[in-house]
Amino acid sequence: MVPSSSNPGDPSSSSTSPSGSENLSAFHRFLRKAQLVSGIGVTAEERTKDLEELNIRRCEKMKKELIDTSPLLVFMLKHLRLSGCQVPEQNIVCVPCASPFTSAASTNSASNPHPSETQLHAGAYLPFPHGAIKLCAGHFFSKQHVESTIAHELVHMFDECRFKVDWQNLRHHACSEIRANNLSGDCKYTREMRRGIISFTKQHQACVRRRAITSVAANPACPSPAHAERAVNEVWDSCFADTRPFDEIY
């Protein structure tokens, strides 16, 4: 028999008990979190990494809830499946993005047909190699913002699946951007007000057109903003009226 190294009567033995270890571990976690929040005793890089991990956890939680409960996303995912395009949950990924504000697409427009304007860069559709959606963790101001961002990118995915979009073709790109902005909720009146844009006549159409032109103009295949506007104008009537897979604008 191996003798016990601890003496039940020794007060110090309680520090090595399971409950004592758990309390100590909890205290260390609390202390570490306090350091990361206050910045005392940690580097800027450590604080940035902790914030990124927190934002990713929050983004993933909202994403999972929305995929299961949002009528808009459930509907889109169903129709993607019916079109022969499965969208596994792991293909919708929350990641840290370089900057919350950007005036252009991410580095490769072929993998990002949805560059942002000068508002929060919230996500992108990545058609290569297998089709995925990138969500910029920490760039969302509400759960509804996450919902509309996923819906926007799912419209791109639906177009890719059904119509074999060539993202280097400005007319193709323009049509998908018109549809994505029109159907996702991106151009709701409340969203435009948050952007500081207030209009009382044809607000929705103006928003869809503006955002589509901005996106196409950032495509490296587009020679100039004038070419982007021309591409949007050429396909506007047919693409704005095309609400598939919806019966009407959401």
Side-chain angles (χ1 to χ4, degrees), residues 67-89:
I67 287 174
D68 290 336
T69 63
S70 164
L72 173 61
L73 300 189
V74 169
F75 181 87
M76 281 298 305
L77 290 168
K78 171 187 174 183
H79 281 270
L80 275 158
R81 287 194 300 272
L82 292 173
S83 297
C85 296
Q86 294 286 341
V87 187
E89 184 180 311

Side-chain angles (χ1 to χ4, degrees), residues 136-236:
C136 288
H139 294 186
F140 297 103
F141 55 79
S142 70
K143 193 172 181 179
Q144 186 182 56
H145 189 194
V146 180
E147 178 186 45
S148 63
T149 299
I150 297 175
H152 182 118
E153 309 308 340
L154 287 176
V155 173
H156 286 318
M157 190 175 286
F158 181 85
D159 289 350
E160 171 89 6
C161 180
R162 288 289 301 274
F163 311 119
K164 309 304 179 188
V165 177
D166 174 5
W167 298 110
Q168 301 302 311
N169 183 313
L170 299 189
R171 288 165 60 92
H172 286 199
H173 186 177
C175 189
S176 190
E177 289 295 346
I178 290 167
R179 284 174 33 75
N181 284 292
N182 190 29
L183 301 174
S184 64
D186 280 330
C187 284
K188 288 182 177 179
Y189 187 76
T190 52
R191 184 65 61 80
E192 282 287 81
M193 286 183 65
R194 188 177 182 89
R195 297 179 184 123
I197 300 172
I198 299 175
S199 174
F200 298 101
T201 58
K202 295 188 177 181
Q203 167 268 327
H204 181 80
Q205 291 92 327
C207 170
V208 172
R209 186 184 296 274
R210 183 190 75 246
R211 288 172 60 82
I213 291 171
T214 300
S215 293
V216 177
N219 187 333
C222 182
S224 70
H227 284 78
E229 185 171 2
R230 185 179 308 132
V232 169
N233 289 339
E234 286 173 351
V235 300
W236 175 263

Side-chain angles (χ1 to χ4, degrees), residues 5-175:
S5 61
S6 61
N7 181 353
D10 183 0
S12 64
S13 66
S14 64
S15 65
T16 58
S17 68
S19 61
S21 298
E22 289 170 6
N23 289 338
L24 191 60
S25 178
F27 174 74
H28 283 155
R29 289 196 299 271
F30 169 79
L31 183 61
R32 179 64 174 173
K33 179 55 69 175
Q35 288 177 313
L36 290 166
V37 170
S38 66
I40 299 173
V42 295
T43 65
E45 289 76 13
E46 288 175 313
R47 292 189 76 190
T48 298
K49 182 174 177 57
D50 180 69
L51 181 59
E52 284 182 352
E53 290 173 352
L54 175 62
N55 286 331
I56 288 173
R57 288 196 298 272
R58 287 173 174 169
C59 175
E60 286 288 341
K61 182 175 184 293
M62 289 189 287
K63 179 199 79 175
K64 290 177 185 293
E65 291 174 354
L66 286 164
I67 287 174
D68 290 336
T69 63
S70 164
L72 173 61
L73 300 189
V74 169
F75 181 87
M76 281 298 305
L77 290 168
K78 171 187 174 183
H79 281 270
L80 275 158
R81 287 194 300 272
L82 292 173
S83 297
C85 296
Q86 294 286 341
V87 187
E89 184 180 311
Q90 60 267 28
N91 280 28
I92 304 175
V93 186
C94 293
V95 296
C97 294
S99 170
F101 290 92
T102 179
S103 58
S106 64
T107 54
N108 184 348
S109 79
S111 64
N112 177 19
H114 160 48
S116 67
E117 307 167 80
T118 55
Q119 77 275 359
L120 282 174
H121 176 59
Y125 170 52
L126 312 171
F128 307 110
H130 302 299
I133 291 171
K134 177 183 79 172
L135 300 176
C136 288
H139 294 186
F140 297 103
F141 55 79
S142 70
K143 193 172 181 179
Q144 186 182 56
H145 189 194
V146 180
E147 178 186 45
S148 63
T149 299
I150 297 175
H152 182 118
E153 309 308 340
L154 287 176
V155 173
H156 286 318
M157 190 175 286
F158 181 85
D159 289 350
E160 171 89 6
C161 180
R162 288 289 301 274
F163 311 119
K164 309 304 179 188
V165 177
D166 174 5
W167 298 110
Q168 301 302 311
N169 183 313
L170 299 189
R171 288 165 60 92
H172 286 199
H173 186 177
C175 189

